Every structure is written in structure tokens, then in C-alpha cells.
Amino acid sequence: MLFLLKTVAFLIGHVPYGIAVFAGRAIGALLFKIDKKRKRITIENLRRAFGNRYSEGEIEAIARKVFENLAVMFFEFMRLPWLTEKTIGRYVEFTGLEHFDSALKKGNGVLLITGHFGNWELLGVSLALKGYNLDIVARELDSPLFERFVRWVRIKHGNRLISKSRSMRRLMKSLAENSIAALLVDQNVALAEGVFVDFFSIPACTNKGPALLVEASGASAVPAFIVRDGKKHKVVVLPEIPLVSTGNRADDIVVNTGLMTKAVEDMIRSYPDQWFWVHRRWKTRPPA
């Protein structure tokens, strides 16, 4: 069955890119019409985040583009195994890679801070093809077959996967080796796993693991995102986040988690149609 999935990926992955993008957008627009539940979640999240900044028509247009982006991602995911160092430049431009270089010179490793933004799967593959191999934290899929397939795609170009369920020790080892560890910091977590920081001025329970890792390892936190720009993408690596270290561990964790979250929020504000709004980001609420 894995061979069959790879064969399907090969066939879809070699469809002319313009056709793949057109098909993805069409499928995304269709899903926007028929998936009432996720459409409702997306629009509610956008209203909550932006208030009156956008009209109802603009909110709906942004939400539709969110669905289109996710559907195009499916076709692009099937292309990832077949990308090479020579062909990656056709699809992706890079800016700010020097921020990785300067952080790595410190010798304590780098936490790549990002979110479910643009085609985040392409972000990891494109950086690997530019020589920046990543240790990526990811949750294992429920289906063993699809987990094997997705794992194969993600590690084919040299990246390594770390299971989310047992990540801290592996990440500490990775950072001690001065590697780059990629963490997505934009998802809701359970109360025991996170701290509440503002996300679009609303308290959101956010994974405190990255802040704990920074405290324990001395690693640099460097935001990086991939922005969809028509039929191409741009990897944007931003300057290192100036994290705090006051000696008050509990406060530092909250402040630094907030700074990482702010980096994600700033990018979403610039490109609101490229984030994963179908997720219930504010699901966990502070205790009464």
C-alpha cells in the first residue's frame, strides 16, 4: 500500500504546476461551500481576531482563500518528494537566511519558530534543499499507513522527525549539537501543557515547551515562514527574537511564549488568508 501511495504521489506530483494550482483552488472553493462546520469555525475565528477591520464580504473572501490554500497544499505536498536542489528555485525564493547563520554561530542551536502558515510542509523541505536540515516536531498520524507515507515525504531530503509525544529530550540533544529544531507554536493546547498569552488580544493557551527549551539550552529563537505569492513561494527568515532572562522562571516562560506568539501573529496580520483558521485556537479557556 505504501508503494501505491508513492505511485499516486508521483503521478499527482508531476501534473504541470499551473494545472495543480488551478485544480487545488477549485477544490478548495468547493469545500468552502460544502463543509459548513469548518467554514463556520473559520469565519467565527476571523471575526473574533479582526473585529470590524474587515467587512462581512471581506471576511468571507479571506475564509474562502484559506480553504483554497489548504487544497493547493495537497497537490504541492505530492510534489515535495521530487523536488531537488536544482528545481527548488523554480518555486521558492529565500530571504533572511543570514539570520540562521548568525544564530548558529553562537553554538547553542536554533529554535525555528513558525506556524501553520502558507505551505508549512514546503518550508521544511525547501530549507533542507538549501542545506539547513531541520529536526521537526510532529504529531504521529492515527493511520499507520499514512504516517509512513507522510514521514517518507518529510525526511526524504534530509530532515529528521521527532515525535511530539517524546520531544523534549530529543530536542535538547538536537540543540546541544547546534542543530535547527522546528516547532509550530500556533495551536491550542491543554491547560497542563501551556500558558495563556495574547493572540489577537485574546488569551490563548499556548505551548510553553519552546520557552522551556530556550531557558534550558540557551538556543536562539528565530522566526521563519513561507508566504504564498501567486504560483511561487517566499521563505522569510526574520531576526532572532530578543527573549528575556530575568531569573524569574515562571514569568520568563510567559513573556517569551508571548514574544514567540507575537511573531506568528504579526505574519498572520500581514497575510490573513494564509493561516490555518479552521482550527479552534481559543478552545481552552482560563480557569474561572
Side-chain angles (χ1 to χ4, degrees), residues 160-210:
R160 298 182 294 187
L161 285 185
I162 298 176
S163 173
K164 187 176 180 180
S165 62
R166 47 184 181 276
S167 62
M168 292 298 286
R169 182 176 296 180
R170 289 279 306 278
L171 285 170
M172 286 297 296
K173 184 175 184 296
S174 171
L175 295 172
E177 296 169 351
N178 201 31
S179 298
I180 301 176
L183 294 93
L184 289 86
V185 299
D186 59 343
Q187 296 284 279
N188 180 76
V189 297
L191 199 60
E193 301 175 51
V195 292
F196 283 93
V197 298
D198 279 354
F199 184 62
F200 287 88
S201 302
I202 304 168
C205 196
T206 305
N207 186 1
K208 61 187 176 184

Side-chain angles (χ1 to χ4, degrees), residues 210-231:
L212 290 170
L213 280 168
V214 167
E215 180 198 42
S217 66
S220 301
V222 179
F225 303 90
I226 186 164
V227 180
R228 185 181 299 281
D229 185 12
K231 294 181 181 179

Side-chain angles (χ1 to χ4, degrees), residues 69-93:
N69 178 61
L70 293 173
V72 172
M73 271 190 67
F74 167 79
F75 287 91
E76 291 176 332
F77 189 80
M78 298 301 185
R79 303 179 77 85
L80 298 185
W82 325 113
L83 294 176
T84 66
E85 295 178 20
K86 293 182 179 180
T87 62
I88 189 63
R90 300 176 192 171
Y91 308 104
V92 183
E93 298 175 353

Side-chain angles (χ1 to χ4, degrees), residues 17 106 136 184:
Y17 188 58
K106 298 180 180 181
I136 301 172
L184 289 86

